[in-house]
Amino acid sequence: MNKENCFELGALIKPHGLKGDIQAFWDTDNIDLYLNIESILVEQKGQLVPFFVENLRPQVGQKVILKLEGIDTIEEAEEFRKLKLFLPDEFVPKLKEDEFFYHEIIGFMVSDVEKGEIGKIETIYNLPQNDLLVINHQQKEVLIPLKKELIKEFDRQNKSILMQLPEGLLDVYLIDDNEENKDK
């Protein structure tokens, strides 16, 4: 199996316990989609090596405890620290036309119905209260809530998202520090 036919699911973080369990990070906004996998590909020295999954336990957030077949000691698990995890492309769930994976919208242009182009999505912060789009707008980092009700159009082909931003959201980021100091 080669990387071109796979997607990166996440990475192994560090050993967990003494019996070969490894803490892993699932780089997905819905870890539940991948809790019943029977095998996984681990990138070792540039090659994707398959491993059977003996046990998988979800943790807080996007972390899981993973037990791979043949890894039975903390020393063996230590050799897997920070290695990337992959699954074949066929494991990617099918989405509706207006749905998307967070990793897929990095680089999409975000526009507001009133203010026009805001900027391209640089990354997404996954927070318990609300996920946030990170956009560079006028040399300032702008955080925009990623809420379905704010999205007016999603265009995968043109890599763009049209949003109805909350009134005053951009103004909060564009206030000049000098103006703020003058008012004091």
Side-chain angles (χ1 to χ4, degrees), residues 9 29 32 65 86 109 114 120 130 132 139 152 166:
L9 176 61
D29 47 314
D32 294 341
I65 302 298
F86 291 83
M109 176 59 71
E114 293 179 20
K120 290 186 177 180
N130 198 50
L132 298 170
Q139 287 79 44
K152 298 303 171 195

Side-chain angles (χ1 to χ4, degrees), residues 9 25-34 62 101-102 126:
L9 176 61
F25 172 78
W26 265 200
D27 190 12
T28 176
D29 47 314
N30 188 356
I31 69 165
D32 294 341
L33 296 173
Y34 306 102
Q62 294 169 270
F101 294 107
Y102 283 7
N126 298 102

Side-chain angles (χ1 to χ4, degrees), residues 21-83:
D21 289 349
I22 307 170
Q23 185 181 55
F25 172 78
W26 265 200
D27 190 12
T28 176
D29 47 314
N30 188 356
I31 69 165
D32 294 341
L33 296 173
Y34 306 102
L35 292 180
N36 294 318
I37 58 173
E38 295 178 8
S39 64
I40 196 160
L41 301 165
V42 179
E43 184 177 28
Q44 293 181 301
K45 297 178 183 174
Q47 300 292 316
L48 296 183
V49 180
F51 284 87
F52 285 109
V53 175
E54 287 184 6
N55 193 359
L56 194 150
R57 300 182 313 271
Q59 302 295 297
V60 176
Q62 294 169 270
K63 293 181 181 170
V64 297
I65 302 298
L66 192 60
K67 175 68 173 86
L68 301 176
E69 186 176 85
I71 311 302
D72 298 313
T73 68
I74 189 171
E75 293 81 14
E76 291 172 330
E78 184 63 44
E79 294 178 26
F80 286 75
R81 183 185 287 264
K82 297 185 179 180
L83 296 182

